[in-house]
Amino acid sequence: MSRYRRYDGGDPLAPPVDIAEALDAIGQDVMAGYSPERAMREFLRRGGDDQAGLDDLARRVAERRRDLLQRHNLDGTLAEVRELLEKAVLEERKQLARDALMDDGDRAFRELRMQNLPDSPAAAVTELGDYDWQSSEAREAFEQIKDLLGRELLDQRFSGMKQALENATDADRQAINEMLNDLNQLLEKHAEGTDTPEDFREFMDKHGQHFPENPQDVDELIDAMAQRAAAAQRMLNSMTEEQRRELMELSAQAFGSPALMDQLNRLDANLQSLRPGEDWGGSEQFGEGGQGLGLGDGTGVLQDLADLDALADQLSQSYGGARLDDVDLDKLARQLGNEAAVDARKLQELEKALRESGAMERGFDGELRLTPKAMRQLGKALLRDVAQKMSGRQGQRDLRQAGAAGDLSGATRAWEFGDTEPWDLPRTMLNGVLRRSGAPDGPLLSIDDVEVAETEARTQAAVALCVDTSFSMAMDGRWVPMKQTALALHTLIGSRFRGDDLELIGFGRHAQTMRIEELTALDARWAKGTNLHHALLLANRHFRKHPNAQPVLLIVTDGEPTSHLESSGDVYFSYPPHPMTVALAVRELDNARRLGAQTTFFRLGEDPGLARFIESMARRVDGSVIAPEAGDLGAAVVGSYLGSRRGQAGGRPGSYGDFFGSRGFWVG
């Protein structure tokens, strides 16, 4: 048999989850020193531009919980009993005043009894239990008290019973007593291990209308009932001592007989024995004002509070092995609405996509890490940012020289950022015409229409990117921009200038060559020292390995050299810089010039001494100095590299200097 329910999965035509934004944010956090696992968790907590995160859902859960506690109090049933009792007494006293035929002594006795009722509603109801009411309205109000108590007590254990038994007959009450007896017998047989599936089916066939949860076996039945019974107990625990005492005394009057309460006490004992792990001892602090809750509604609120507590725990993801699949979407929809459940489902899909997309993998040490595929995606995103920052620059593309680095092959391809080949105008215009045939109102040309002519050969470059990894880079907030710059340049060379050979060199107290994965995952180093001498030694070694390539030297630093390698291989450190440290760095810079290197310094910070030192170094080797802000470092390095590539075709190195000059970045 097919079963249908309302679709609650959000927009069925929505596109698949896009992990690009998540990978970008995760990559930024990884470069800032987070582990990939923690970075993923942080993104799921924050959410994206158009995606609510776990923190937002948890905030809404907390607000809903606080609202429930402040908006209600637990005095609803007692208040309703007081109201019915006052009505009964008032109607009886009216009737006594009107009844002239009644014996004066009897009337006086009845009036005295009405006047001297106990203040406690429970004691008053008990005292009036055998009273012979003269007013039919008073008798009806008093009987409503007994009926109300019975329905409320049942509604605590069976949701909706208060409404279902309104205006119930004696036969209806007898049917309820029979159901409770059968239920207790089933639970007791289950506790003994003597029940069978047939026992459960017979029970549901006979009494299934009282269980809207539609349990499929006895364990599901027990789970549902135990959760509500535990909530009922927590409600009692949350009451004042006086409120509890009043309700316990009143419960004996339910339906005019203690039989109902006996069956319910038996049921509670069975459920607590079968599910001792439920929270039977908890309580909540409700506000004193607000709407009074009856026993059934109060139990429902306590269940809601329990659901909200469970959701808060699930959304916190603070326990071992936590996954977003743990979040109960049905509970979330009940408490916060379908929109919240859709947001949580998107986060679940995003987490699954991140784990299954190949963007992250576990190494031999069991730690989660970004894969080369993820690094490429992150690098492309960084390149797009660089392209946006470089857009509008004057002199960034000279079409008279573009493509001069290779012979045309006759083939074309779509333009990508970093291309220096000339446009293929016929193909570009044809693409624009074809696109406009489907969208006549579109622009004559768009960037997606552009195709460039492929070249067969291009002059090779050997590029050494030397990045400062000293203490000050991390301390002054330049650590992540430095890594982003390296990744953007690595991606550009790996995708558009594959003939070039890039060497990444990090230099702090000493220098070392690094793979891009090592550099992007590098934690901040707190050892003091800026060993430019060692970095230049490694750069020159790289240039010598590629004697037929054009050397390109890019140096990113925020400090003067304060350490060097001695002949023994040991590191010498001195601050202020020792003359020997400076002399050795200058000697290796001269060696790079003799190898033909085009050198660009990227000076970070405003230190005048550093500025004078780097300007003198750049003049010595006919190099350039660029002083970008940290956020513009990627655009500066990529622009300088592209300028050097054009320089091989006849342009001058640093042809992006005009742009930097217009922005106040050009120094020398």
Side-chain angles (χ1 to χ4, degrees):
M1 180 179 67
S2 299
R3 301 179 65 185
Y4 301 91
R5 63 182 177 87
R6 180 182 177 185
Y7 176 74
D8 60 357
D11 183 359
L13 301 180
V17 62
D18 184 7
I19 65 173
E21 180 188 9
L23 279 178
D24 185 31
I26 290 170
Q28 304 287 346
D29 285 344
V30 167
M31 286 191 282
Y34 286 18
S35 70
E37 181 78 35
R38 181 184 173 191
M40 180 178 67
R41 291 291 170 203
E42 287 296 314
F43 179 80
L44 293 173
R45 284 182 54 250
R46 295 191 304 264
D49 292 338
D50 299 314
Q51 169 66 54
L54 292 174
D55 282 354
D56 181 66
L57 291 172
R59 174 188 57 77
R60 291 160 64 186
V61 164
E63 288 176 351
R64 162 83 170 151
R65 192 183 197 285
R66 184 168 58 251
D67 178 64
L68 285 176
L69 289 173
Q70 293 177 350
R71 186 156 44 92
H72 298 112
N73 65 67
L74 300 180
D75 203 30
T77 297
L78 289 174
E80 201 168 351
V81 168
R82 290 190 196 98
E83 184 178 343
L84 288 170
L85 181 60
E86 289 173 0
K87 179 180 178 181
V89 171
L90 179 60
E91 292 298 330
E92 180 67 8
R93 296 181 70 177
K94 287 180 180 179
Q95 182 63 40
L96 292 175
R98 291 193 300 264
D99 198 347
L101 299 177
M102 182 176 293
D103 178 82
D104 289 343
D106 188 35
R107 181 169 55 191
F109 175 74
R110 289 175 181 274
E111 288 179 347
L112 185 62
R113 191 169 180 183
M114 291 294 120
Q115 292 173 0
N116 292 287
L117 288 173
D119 293 333
S120 163
V125 170
T126 300
E127 182 168 323
L128 293 172
D130 60 352
Y131 182 78
D132 180 19
W133 297 92
Q134 301 300 299
S135 166
S136 57
E137 291 85 355
R139 183 182 299 105
E140 181 180 354
F142 191 75
E143 291 301 322
Q144 285 179 12
I145 292 175
K146 299 177 181 180
D147 185 67
L148 169 68
L149 291 169
R151 290 187 293 122
E152 287 279 20
L153 289 169
L154 286 169
D155 203 43
Q156 275 194 299
R157 280 76 172 182
F158 306 90
S159 178
M161 194 69 80
K162 180 179 180 181
Q163 292 76 23
L165 287 179
E166 194 169 8
N167 302 318
T169 65
D170 290 339
D172 294 330
R173 299 187 186 96
Q174 180 58 38
I176 291 296
N177 280 326
E178 185 177 352
M179 182 272 291
L180 289 172
N181 186 62
D182 291 346
L183 176 58
N184 278 316
Q185 288 182 2
L186 176 64
L187 298 184
E188 287 157 3
K189 287 181 68 175
H190 185 73
E192 296 168 356
T194 59
D195 66 316
T196 65
E198 185 61 30
D199 292 333
F200 173 76
R201 286 193 293 270
E202 288 180 0
F203 176 81
M204 291 301 294
D205 288 342
K206 186 176 180 181
H207 305 294
Q209 71 272 20
H210 299 301
F211 301 91
E213 303 89 351
N214 193 27
Q216 300 301 302
D217 55 39
V218 68
D219 284 311
E220 287 190 16
L221 173 66
I222 294 170
D223 287 340
M225 295 212 61
Q227 290 170 11
R228 190 161 179 89
Q233 183 60 52
R234 292 197 299 276
M235 180 183 178
L236 289 176
N237 298 343
S238 304
M239 293 179 175
T240 65
E241 184 64 34
E242 180 183 358
Q243 288 173 325
R244 279 197 299 273
R245 184 175 63 253
E246 290 282 324
L247 282 174
M248 290 300 99
E249 292 177 10
L250 283 169
S251 63
Q253 302 296 324
F255 291 155
S257 167
L260 174 64
M261 200 61 206
D262 291 343
Q263 287 281 21
L264 292 177
N265 287 336
R266 179 183 170 195
L267 176 61
D268 289 345
N270 285 329
L271 291 172
Q272 192 160 356
S273 174
L274 289 166
R275 293 294 185 269
E278 292 289 341
D279 183 9
W280 299 92
S283 64
E284 297 289 348
Q285 188 66 42
F286 282 82
E288 295 181 0
Q291 177 185 356
L293 291 171
L295 296 181
D297 291 339
T299 298
V301 168
L302 266 293
Q303 276 194 297
D304 287 342
L305 291 171
D307 285 352
L308 291 167
D309 287 341
L311 287 169
D313 188 46
Q314 294 161 10
L315 293 170
S316 74
Q317 296 283 286
S318 58
Y319 48 91
R323 291 290 184 271
L324 285 186
D325 285 342
D326 299 342
V327 178
D328 190 323
L329 299 182
D330 290 334
K331 284 184 180 178
L332 197 60
R334 284 198 305 271
Q335 299 301 331
L336 300 183
N338 287 333
E339 184 179 345
V342 170
D343 286 337
R345 182 181 286 105
K346 287 180 181 177
L347 290 174
Q348 289 178 342
E349 293 171 354
L350 180 60
E351 181 189 45
K352 184 178 180 181
L354 285 169
R355 293 185 182 279
E356 296 180 357
S357 66
M360 290 183 284
E361 63 184 2
R362 294 203 178 274
F364 295 112
D365 55 2
E367 292 294 323
L368 201 65
R369 60 190 56 166
L370 295 180
T371 63
K373 175 183 177 182
M375 297 299 295
R376 288 193 297 271
Q377 288 178 292
L378 180 59
K380 290 178 181 177
L382 291 171
L383 269 181
R384 285 194 295 270
D385 292 341
V386 167
Q388 291 176 355
K389 291 181 179 179
M390 293 173 64
S391 62
R393 296 184 181 187
Q394 301 298 318
Q396 69 178 30
R397 179 180 291 277
D398 187 342
L399 293 179
R400 292 170 299 174
Q401 297 176 353
D407 299 325
L408 297 176
S409 67
T412 65
R413 57 176 172 76
W415 176 88
E416 294 185 25
F417 174 72
D419 284 338
T420 59
E421 293 84 357
W423 289 15
D424 186 296
L425 291 179
R427 292 289 303 175
T428 298
M429 294 302 297
L430 177 60
N431 291 340
V433 170
L434 292 175
R435 176 180 49 74
R436 280 173 55 83
S437 66
D441 297 332
L444 179 63
L445 282 179
S446 77
I447 194 63
D448 294 330
D449 298 330
V450 178
E451 292 200 22
V452 295
E454 280 277 23
T455 56
E456 293 179 339
R458 179 186 287 129
T459 303
Q460 183 184 19
V463 185
L465 176 61
C466 303
V467 291
D468 192 338
T469 59
S470 63
F471 169 77
S472 59
M473 289 285 286
M475 182 178 64
D476 295 331
R478 298 165 186 145
W479 195 254
V480 173
M482 173 269 290
K483 292 183 178 183
Q484 292 172 331
T485 298
L487 182 54
L489 183 61
H490 179 274
T491 302
L492 177 62
I493 291 175
S495 60
R496 301 302 329 133
F497 297 94
R498 295 185 180 91
D500 291 357
D501 202 306
L502 173 65
E503 184 90 308
L504 296 174
I505 301 169
F507 62 99
R509 196 174 186 88
H510 67 280
Q512 65 181 111
T513 60
M514 296 181 175
R515 293 181 294 108
I516 188 62
E517 295 83 5
E518 293 175 317
L519 180 58
T520 52
L522 185 67
D523 288 334
R525 295 179 169 180
W526 305 109
K528 295 180 180 179
T530 305
N531 200 332
L532 181 60
H533 168 236
H534 193 185
L536 292 171
L537 282 171
L538 296 176
N540 288 335
R541 185 180 68 179
H542 176 60
F543 297 150
R544 293 187 183 100
K545 286 181 180 178
H546 303 85
N548 297 322
Q550 168 62 52
V552 177
L553 178 60
L554 307 172
I555 302 172
V556 178
T557 186
D558 69 345
E560 301 172 71
T562 55
S563 61
H564 66 264
L565 279 185
E566 297 188 308
S567 58
S568 63
D570 294 332
V571 173
Y572 175 86
F573 169 79
S574 173
Y575 183 83
H578 192 279
M580 180 59 68
T581 300
V582 175
L584 289 173
V586 169
R587 186 182 72 182
E588 286 307 313
L589 193 63
D590 288 342
N591 288 338
R593 182 185 184 186
R594 281 191 286 271
L595 290 171
Q598 299 174 0
T599 302
T600 304
F601 287 90
F602 301 88
R603 175 175 60 80
L604 301 176
E606 302 297 331
D607 179 36
L610 174 65
R612 288 192 297 271
F613 173 77
I614 288 183
E615 287 168 15
S616 64
M617 294 271 279
R619 284 194 298 269
R620 184 180 182 93
V621 295
D622 194 23
S624 303
V625 178
I626 299 173
E629 297 293 332
D632 288 318
L633 178 61
V637 171
V638 169
S640 178
Y641 165 72
L642 292 175
S644 71
R645 299 296 285 119
R646 290 172 177 79
Q648 298 166 26
R652 72 176 180 86
S655 59
Y656 279 73
D658 292 340
F659 167 77
F660 289 118
S662 69
R663 294 284 298 275
F665 291 153
W666 183 259
V667 177

